[in-house]
Amino acid sequence: VLSFNDQKLDELANMWAPECVHTNRETGEKTSGRDAIKKDLAEAFSAPTKMRLTGQVQSIRVIRPEVALVDGETTISSSETE
């Protein structure tokens, strides 16, 4: 959440696996791969509105010490910047 709100693109993109798939729960649209997600985020961050992310973790399942599956919900809000 902090990386998103501070628009730290590389830090944020590195939270995704290289071959990950993100599914938008509202539209069903899928974005495949870290590079594609990073591109989408870069486009969103270049918009004239300032976006804020809030989120709530619903569950965490540790698969290996360095890998966890996190399920939760996030909400993005935006406002005009001055």
Side-chain angles (χ1 to χ4, degrees):
V1 171
L2 295 175
S3 297
F4 185 95
N5 291 339
D6 292 339
Q7 296 188 357
K8 294 181 177 178
L9 187 57
D10 289 330
E11 189 175 296
L12 187 59
N14 284 330
M15 293 180 187
W16 295 88
E19 287 82 35
C20 67
V21 176
H22 173 264
T23 303
N24 182 313
R25 289 185 182 184
E26 290 183 15
T27 66
E29 179 182 353
K30 294 183 186 280
T31 304
S32 298
R34 179 190 293 157
D35 291 339
I37 290 171
K38 184 175 179 179
K39 181 180 176 227
D40 285 354
L41 288 168
E43 288 175 17
F45 290 160
S46 69
T49 57
K50 173 73 173 166
M51 296 186 302
R52 299 273 314 151
L53 179 71
T54 57
Q56 183 174 5
V57 173
Q58 295 165 334
S59 67
I60 301 173
R61 190 177 98 204
V62 177
I63 298 169
R64 296 191 306 260
E66 70 281 2
V67 177
L69 176 62
V70 180
D71 186 30
E73 291 187 27
T74 57
T75 302
I76 297 175
S77 58
S78 63
S79 63
E80 294 294 325
T81 57
E82 296 182 30

